[in-house]
Amino acid sequence: MDLTDLSLPPMIITIDGPAGAGKTTVSRTLASRLGYRYIDTGALYRGVALAVQQAGIDPDDGEALAGLCRKTHLDFTVKNDDLRLMLNGRDVSDRIRSPQISMLASAVSARPVVRDFLLNIQRCLGSAKKAVLEGRDMGTVVFPDADIKFFLEADADIRARRRFEELKAKQTPGLNLASVRQDMIKRDRDDSTRDVAPLKPASDAIRIDSTDLAIDAVVAVMLDHIKAKASDFGDI
């Protein structure tokens, strides 16, 4: 199903969930089917984490983080149909995908100063609507009034295997499935129990378990919900 030929009202669509549930591929595919902009908000936190690493800052040092945020510029650009993250004018899209940056991103995302800094950026990115925003608190904090919210989840073993295969394809050194699973479970726990914007489905989110579903099947389910929602506007 493709809705690009229909007169969809401008919507904000959020997709939250833990790592390895398939959010990135699903979000990219869904945005393409809708003719919407895809925004990977997790990359913003990874960008801050990389800046923290480069500056040698303790992620628990709120004052140092605040100073870093004031002089950090993050933006997205599209290159060869690929969304790229720019950190202070430099493309860091590949550098932010290491396991070390993943764990550091989880740590800095728990700091209120970082969340406040990125909150404004994320809302600006979605202000024009016609956007699919992937993250962990898109439907609960950043866009609580989003037109439609999804929460994508999957079995932990399946998620770890998916993440392992993704990292292996990038030839990540020192990689093994057990450590990937351990890191993922720790990040899930940290993100779900933090005081600020914990990872959880919004009360009105549509929950989809992707454990036994292919990407196209997940997207098809989402498109059904979006079509039904759009019908409420009376436009299709």
Side-chain angles (χ1 to χ4, degrees), residues 158-179:
I158 295 296
R159 292 193 291 113
R161 170 60 66 179
R162 290 172 180 171
R163 180 64 174 153
F164 174 75
E165 294 298 335
E166 176 188 345
L167 292 171
K168 186 169 70 172
K170 296 177 180 178
Q171 299 182 333
T172 304
L175 190 67
N176 66 77
L177 179 58
S179 64

Side-chain angles (χ1 to χ4, degrees), residues 60-85:
D60 291 326
D61 187 338
E63 185 175 343
L65 285 175
L68 180 71
C69 288
R70 284 193 292 270
K71 59 184 180 182
T72 295
H73 179 72
L74 293 164
D75 199 5
F76 288 110
T77 188
V78 177
K79 182 179 181 181
N80 298 326
D81 293 326
D82 187 26
L83 189 71
R84 311 293 292 180
L85 179 70

Side-chain angles (χ1 to χ4, degrees), residues 134-151:
E134 168 202 349
R136 296 191 169 219
D137 65 344
M138 291 299 99
T140 54
V141 175
V142 183
F143 294 102
D145 297 322
D147 297 287
I148 189 162
K149 306 172 187 178
F150 295 106
F151 190 87

Side-chain angles (χ1 to χ4, degrees), residues 31-99:
S32 176
R33 299 273 181 91
L34 295 173
Y36 274 26
R37 186 182 186 191
Y38 161 66
I39 300 172
D40 175 11
T41 64
L44 297 171
Y45 285 95
R46 289 171 176 270
V48 173
L50 180 60
V52 166
Q53 183 187 71
Q54 291 176 337
I57 291 174
D58 183 341
D60 291 326
D61 187 338
E63 185 175 343
L65 285 175
L68 180 71
C69 288
R70 284 193 292 270
K71 59 184 180 182
T72 295
H73 179 72
L74 293 164
D75 199 5
F76 288 110
T77 188
V78 177
K79 182 179 181 181
N80 298 326
D81 293 326
D82 187 26
L83 189 71
R84 311 293 292 180
L85 179 70
M86 308 299 291
L87 169 63
N88 297 328
R90 295 187 176 184
D91 187 340
V92 295
S93 306
D94 298 325
R95 298 180 63 187
I96 62 173
R97 297 299 171 182
S98 71

Side-chain angles (χ1 to χ4, degrees), residues 184-206:
M184 181 172 287
I185 289 175
K186 181 182 185 303
R187 187 178 179 192
D188 287 347
R189 182 174 62 250
D190 291 346
D191 289 353
S192 299
T193 58
R194 66 188 178 213
D195 294 331
V196 180
L199 169 66
K200 65 178 181 179
S203 59
D204 55 346
I206 298 163

